[in-house]
Amino acid sequence: MEPFKRIGVTGRQGRSHIEKTLQRLTDFLQQRGIEVLLDESIAYLLPGHTCQTCVRAEMGPRCDLVIVVGGDGSLLGAARDMVPHGVPLLGVNLGRLGFLTDILPDELESQLDEVLQGKHRLVERFLLDACVIRNGKTIGKADALNDVVLHPGQSTRIIEFELSIDNQFVYRQRSDGLIIATPTGSTAYALSGGGPIMHPKLDAIVLVPMYPHMLTNRPLVVDGNSEMQLVVHPDNTIHPVVSCDGQVEINLQPGDIISIRKKPEPLKLLHPVNHDFYEGCRSKLRWHPHEITVDEE
């Protein structure tokens, strides 16, 4: 990749210590002669700054790289804005788990120095496109890096819906809903619902039922190019919701159709060269941190 000349900086206000981290980050970049484009929604956190500002959605066509300061949720929101422009994202983790934002504040300068020298790994993650159709007309669209979730909204009643994959009927289910997750999202909501952890390189999608009425309804892993269709059964008395990454919601009516497929444009993520998916699982999911050795006689 060419050297980064203009870097966008965004994040989410309210995160602990975000002001201090933003100040260190912008100072570090400017000292190295890099032009910084600061998200105007958080610019007030740095009074007296000398950065240019813009709305986050404008960073895509103007930046070589966008750095997100916050948790994975902050990166999810930024990802949907940057994907159409092919701009890579790099995350500084101020959240809890941080499967996507893997630079720690204590290592900010050292890790960024390596990234600016070209010592990094560029990976791609696919997103899902969700489209809601009502009476033959599209009434809502959204995309998701982690998951598309059908759920009851404010209601405590179960949903009845039908699932088809690649135009083949799969089942009619009564449950609290369904999580449709990418490999990236397999360590998020889908994991808490009992779904499998999928390596990010997999070209696959997992469907995880939420409290199904029939215990034989288990998580289902399908090809990443599958096209899924959910039909909210007309006999439902509630109005469920389809949620994308927990940040964009579309209200549904009985009879609505939700079409879900892979988004053509991938997300580009930068990781430090020492990034290790399995080490991340060990530390963030509290797996046993040490290797087990067997004494030889």
Side-chain angles (χ1 to χ4, degrees):
M1 295 180 65
E2 295 292 327
F4 303 115
K5 298 178 180 178
R6 179 186 288 163
I7 295 179
V9 175
T10 185
R12 189 166 67 184
Q13 56 189 356
R15 282 289 182 186
S16 176
H17 309 302
I18 189 173
E19 296 93 340
K20 181 180 178 180
T21 303
L22 284 173
Q23 189 67 66
R24 287 171 53 200
L25 174 59
T26 54
D27 288 348
F28 179 85
L29 295 175
Q30 289 180 319
Q31 288 167 7
R32 280 151 182 78
I34 295 173
E35 184 180 350
V36 177
L37 201 56
L38 185 62
D39 185 341
E40 66 179 28
S41 70
I42 57 172
Y44 75 95
L45 297 172
L46 299 179
H49 71 83
T50 58
C51 306
Q52 294 187 50
T53 63
C54 72
V55 296
R56 188 177 68 188
E58 295 178 0
M59 289 183 177
R62 299 176 63 181
C63 295
D64 308 311
L65 171 69
V66 172
I67 299 177
V68 182
V69 180
D72 281 355
S74 302
L75 194 140
L76 292 173
R80 292 193 295 273
D81 286 335
M82 300 307 137
V83 161
H85 307 285
V87 180
L89 290 180
L90 178 68
V92 178
N93 184 24
L94 296 183
R96 294 185 294 274
L97 290 179
F99 276 96
L100 297 172
T101 49
D102 48 13
I103 291 183
L104 298 176
D106 292 344
E107 302 171 349
L108 179 65
E109 288 82 4
S110 61
Q111 294 274 30
L112 275 181
D113 190 49
E114 290 194 354
V115 169
L116 296 180
Q117 293 179 43
K119 299 176 182 178
H120 54 70
R121 286 195 285 169
L122 179 66
V123 300
E124 292 187 346
R125 306 283 184 93
F126 72 83
L127 290 79
L128 297 174
D129 266 332
C131 176
V132 178
I133 302 166
R134 180 177 300 159
N135 298 323
K137 297 181 179 180
T138 299
I139 59 102
K141 288 185 176 181
D143 48 20
L145 177 60
N146 268 355
D147 45 46
V148 176
V149 181
L150 172 67
H151 63 92
Q154 299 298 319
S155 175
T156 57
R157 302 185 66 178
I158 63 174
I159 310 168
E160 186 169 355
F161 60 91
E162 293 182 356
L163 168 68
S164 296
I165 300 176
D166 294 331
N167 295 318
Q168 292 184 309
F169 177 73
V170 179
Y171 53 57
R172 178 183 292 183
Q173 184 178 119
R174 301 179 74 240
S175 67
D176 280 5
L178 186 69
I179 304 168
I180 300 177
T182 65
T184 301
S186 71
T187 52
Y189 194 20
L191 181 63
S192 65
I197 294 175
M198 298 195 293
H199 193 280
K201 289 183 179 180
L202 285 175
D203 187 6
I205 298 169
V206 63
L207 295 85
V208 182
M210 300 166 59
Y211 297 102
H213 190 68
M214 296 294 293
L215 297 180
T216 50
N217 286 123
R218 310 306 299 166
L220 178 64
V221 179
V222 300
D223 183 83
N225 294 305
S226 300
E227 297 184 14
M228 291 142 289
Q229 190 177 80
L230 298 173
V231 179
V232 181
H233 198 275
D235 290 342
N236 280 284
T237 57
I238 66 170
H239 291 67
V241 174
V242 63
S243 173
C244 293
D245 286 341
Q247 297 179 348
V248 180
E249 293 191 341
I250 303 172
N251 294 317
L252 304 174
Q253 293 181 6
D256 283 355
I257 300 171
I258 308 104
S259 178
I260 302 162
R261 66 183 68 185
K262 180 191 291 185
K263 190 177 182 69
E265 305 89 354
L267 169 67
K268 295 180 180 179
L269 276 180
L270 283 191
H271 290 299
V273 290
N274 62 350
H275 173 75
D276 182 340
F277 173 73
Y278 298 113
E279 190 282 328
C281 289
R282 286 195 301 274
S283 62
K284 302 175 194 308
L285 300 178
R286 300 183 181 181
W287 291 352
H288 198 289
H290 304 296
E291 293 182 359
I292 298 176
T293 59
V294 178
D295 293 334
E296 295 183 0
E297 295 183 359

